[in-house]
Amino acid sequence: ADDWILWNGSSTSVNIFVSPQPVEATDDAFWDQFWAHTATSVQDVFALVPAAEIRAVREESPSNLATLCYKAVEKLVQGAESGCHTEKERQIVLNCCRLLTRILPYIFEDPDWRGFFWSTVPGAARGGGDDDDENARPLAELLLLAVTDLLFCPDFTVQSHRRSTVDTAEDIHSIDSCEYIWEAGVGFAHSPQPNYIHDLNRTELLKLLLTCFSEAMYLPPSSDSSNTNPWVQFFCSTENRHALPLFTSLLNVVCAYDPVGYGIPYNHLLFSDYREPLVEVAAQVLIVTLDYDSSTSSSPTVDGTTTGTAMDDVDPPGPDNLFVNYLSRIHREEDFQFILKGVARLLSNPLVQTYLPNSAKKIQFHQELLVLFWKLCDFNKKFLFFVLKSSDVLDILVPILYFLNDARADQSRVGLMHIGVFILLLLSGERNFGVRLNKPYSVRVPMDIPVFTGTHADLLIIVFHKIITSGHQRLQPLFDCLLTIIVNVSPYLKSLSMVAANKLLHLLEAFSTTWFLFSAVQNHHLVFFLLEVFNNIIQYQFDGNSNLIYAVIRKRNVFHQLANLPTDSQSIQKGLQRKKKTPEPVSRTNSQDGVSMEGSHPAAPAEPGTLKTSLAATPGIDKLTEKSQVSEDGTMRSLVPEASQLSPEGNPPAALSDGEPWSGEASHSRRDRRRLSSASSSGQWTPTPDWVMSWKSKLPLQTIMRLLQVLVPQVEKICIDKGLTDESEILKFLQHGTLVGLLPVPHPILIRKYQANSGTAMWFRTYMWGVIYLRNVDPPIWYDTDVKLFEIQRV
């Protein structure tokens, strides 16, 4: 039965039209029923056109579905041509827009239909000339061009510039859309009067664009970066005459948004906010258009050295994707300031919530903002340097640490944990980030961490310690990244607090137990990272770090045990037997956490049944970063990638973000067997004396052993002479001590800088679309369709 749902004049009456044969495209009376109706909303369309009906028509009356899509696009094209001057035309455009948003996912989920929109339509010539087929535009292009025209349609989506109604209406094809940018900010000074009808119309059109771009969700993940999204590719090409004003409008609408409501606390409780849904979908469209694998191409400002005075100066030709190109060429300080302030304001919004509850509207799109911030730093090195030039970077750091700490126990937010850590890894590759961390931390954002007095570096170390010791076990693949960030900043940390120093020693203690070192092939890397942190601080920042030196002296047995780590088979077996029965990574005993901050809530696990989307694997730290050496003048040079110094067997790639339990038993999934590179033929990896020797001999303990050799006798003598048990006296002694000339020659500083690679490009694509899928619930655009890019799972 070729049923197809229609709705006619009355607001919800549903007219099931039984049509055993295809309906002619010329039968306007029949097709007009679909869009002529007035009082509908996108929610009505979703309710009136159920999934089962769309699929039934797709299978049983394919020609009717094809004609419906073609006619709906035709109506959008007509609306764009005419400029939508009447209420009736606007209503038709919005209804077609809603209908296409509803139907497109069902076109994409069927491989036989996927190419449908890229087939040409009779009579739609590119040049508007003759009807020869070579010149005809595919339906997808007609649709995208009509939507972009409609986004700059006076009195529909933008303010008209005409003074009087007597004037003839503006011709949509002669207007310069750069004069109609939606919001002041980058490259545009004039802030148009807010108009909530325009905001609502823009939001509906952008949702349709997002739906067009979502074809990517219906293709399985592939590492092939040539796999470009044809919708995004066309939309971001020179074929789109509105590319620049649209890019600028999206960016400015997001960065100018202030959820407090015109700066007055509690104002959002009085006025309904039409801007937020627009800002949210604008952020989503923006990050999707910027989904571009920078590892395969040289971005125009990779070294941050190109100069110029305007966006369109003679820079090297950038990527074909104009949005990526424009983003990479923003360079005015005031533009950077506007973007950074906007992103920081929005990221800090949940924190403001905590100390002035309900004063501002709580926004939910922080994950999209983090992806946008990542893209800005990745594609525009000048922006990255600007961010690090002042302590403004801390306005990004603190919210990220807040999110990481808050999400650490929640399995549905693994993706958020990853992007936060990736951003900090990217920032930590620059010397300035380490230097900025020395600023005292005085903002008291209620966080579930011990109270401390210190700097932003202390905050970072304490939060990372909390993630490692009390996060859920699927975060284990991030430990390498977390410790790499601490290694990268360690040479610049002037004075760690006692709380942070004890946290670092607690991590070393936990990671250097024999059961942990022997239970997985890459666990010893964590010890190497921590030793490198201590060496950097001792060699380069000894003077201000008496707290850390004191902690090292107190826990000196940990270093001695490492130096005397047994390597014979019997001891290895004994060490493994000592393994905790629970898969807890790090015991929480003997880490004196003390009181948590006032007003904080413990990090909560996900509510059972919470939906989450699966993520692609993240590359191992050796693929994610490349080593650079810092010269004495502070410049960095890349080191030729050698075999990793840490592991003779070469680092296995990090596990999937949905990794396995902590225990060293290799579970039997194919992934794990591939991961444990030195697995024996039985599929079970076992530590051998040779393997332990291979890395034990490289443990960088010389500097610390020398420090202990010099200072321990002196500290013990003070304690005996003065009968001291008071640590403040010892700290005073250590503050005035010096090791000049007593330590080995300082090693060169090694920084592991993030490097773009197709593995992370794929990770970002699956993460970003997973977020967009889960966040679009009203209407639920993709819900229950057959997506292939990720799996939808319940916690």
Side-chain angles (χ1 to χ4, degrees), residues 254-435:
V254 171
C255 295
Y257 178 56
D258 183 358
V260 170
Y262 309 106
I264 305 161
Y266 303 99
N267 208 12
H268 72 104
L269 300 174
L270 308 177
F271 302 102
S272 159
D273 181 2
Y274 297 98
R275 195 35 61 117
E276 189 190 18
L278 173 65
V279 175
E280 199 163 291
V281 70
Q284 292 175 354
V285 168
L286 203 50
I287 60 178
V288 169
T289 54
L290 297 170
D291 176 20
Y292 180 82
D293 184 354
S294 59
S295 66
T296 56
S297 63
S298 60
S299 152
T301 55
V302 158
D303 57 351
T305 52
T306 55
T307 52
T309 51
M311 254 189 197
D312 17 32
D313 260 11
V314 199
D315 265 349
D320 296 337
N321 177 324
L322 289 179
F323 278 41
V324 173
N325 204 334
Y326 297 145
L327 186 78
S328 68
R329 283 166 40 186
I330 299 171
H331 64 270
R332 288 176 19 203
E333 296 255 321
E334 56 269 41
D335 289 343
F336 286 158
Q337 191 61 36
F338 164 76
I339 294 170
L340 181 58
K341 279 273 181 272
V343 173
R345 179 192 323 111
L346 293 170
L347 285 178
S348 308
N349 164 272
L351 287 60
V352 175
Q353 285 298 319
T354 49
Y355 44 86
L356 272 181
N358 300 322
S359 60
K361 182 168 182 169
K362 188 155 188 178
I363 60 158
Q364 302 294 336
F365 55 95
H366 47 271
Q367 300 192 85
E368 293 92 322
L369 287 165
L370 290 171
V371 175
L372 178 60
F373 183 75
W374 169 270
K375 298 284 181 195
L376 280 155
C377 293
D378 196 21
F379 295 152
N380 191 323
K381 287 296 173 266
K382 283 187 189 159
F383 177 74
L384 176 61
F385 298 142
F386 176 85
V387 168
L388 293 165
K389 205 170 69 173
S390 74
S391 50
D392 287 352
V393 65
L394 303 175
D395 298 336
I396 300 286
L397 170 76
V398 172
I400 288 178
L401 291 175
Y402 172 85
F403 291 129
L404 291 177
N405 188 56
D406 187 55
R408 68 178 192 265
D410 183 341
Q411 300 225 359
S412 68
R413 289 154 81 194
V414 172
L416 171 63
M417 298 292 294
H418 276 73
I419 181 140
V421 171
F422 284 160
I423 289 174
L424 298 183
L425 179 64
L426 181 72
L427 295 174
S428 74
E430 307 296 332
R431 172 182 177 275
N432 266 353
F433 182 64
V435 174

Side-chain angles (χ1 to χ4, degrees), residues 550 712-727 729-730:
Y550 178 66
V712 170
Q714 299 183 10
V715 169
E716 283 176 342
K717 185 171 186 307
I718 293 177
C719 293
I720 294 164
D721 290 357
K722 304 197 175 174
L724 277 183
T725 48
D726 176 21
E727 59 181 43
E729 283 289 327
I730 300 169

Side-chain angles (χ1 to χ4, degrees), residues 13 65 98 100 108 123 278 351 382 399 446 467 518 524 665 738 773 780 791:
S13 87
L65 182 58
R98 293 159 186 161
L100 286 165
F108 294 151
L278 173 65
L351 287 60
K382 283 187 189 159
I467 293 167
F518 297 159
H524 62 279
E665 287 88 285
T738 174
Y773 177 99
E791 288 168 34

Side-chain angles (χ1 to χ4, degrees), residues 464-590:
F464 283 11
H465 173 270
K466 198 85 174 170
I467 293 167
I468 291 171
T469 56
S470 65
H472 59 79
Q473 56 201 27
R474 293 192 160 168
L475 299 178
Q476 197 200 343
L478 281 176
F479 291 1
D480 279 349
C481 276
L482 293 168
L483 294 187
T484 297
I485 293 164
I486 300 179
V487 173
N488 282 347
V489 301
S490 58
Y492 311 110
L493 303 183
K494 294 200 181 321
S495 168
L496 287 183
S497 69
M498 191 58 94
V499 178
N502 284 334
K503 297 298 179 209
L504 286 175
L505 266 296
H506 177 237
L507 289 178
L508 182 71
E509 211 174 350
F511 290 149
S512 56
T513 58
T514 48
W515 73 265
F516 181 73
L517 284 173
F518 297 159
S519 63
V521 70
Q522 72 283 16
N523 283 355
H524 62 279
H525 297 177
L526 301 173
V527 168
F528 276 81
F529 286 137
L530 285 164
L531 291 175
E532 203 175 325
V533 170
F534 298 133
N535 287 338
N536 282 341
I537 293 177
I538 292 166
Q539 288 282 19
Y540 292 99
Q541 299 291 349
F542 179 82
D543 286 353
N545 273 298
S546 51
N547 287 331
L548 184 77
I549 307 303
Y550 178 66
V552 167
I553 291 174
R554 274 187 49 222
K555 293 282 185 189
R556 57 190 178 275
N557 62 324
V558 179
F559 300 98
H560 290 300
Q561 281 165 3
L562 268 175
N564 300 318
L565 189 74
T567 55
D568 58 289
S569 302
Q570 204 179 351
S571 306
I572 292 174
Q573 284 318 307
K574 213 159 105 190
L576 285 172
Q577 264 130 39
R578 231 180 273 148
K579 226 172 116 183
K580 303 279 190 288
K581 293 290 168 274
T582 57
E584 286 274 338
V586 177
S587 67
R588 293 176 204 176
T589 49
N590 69 27

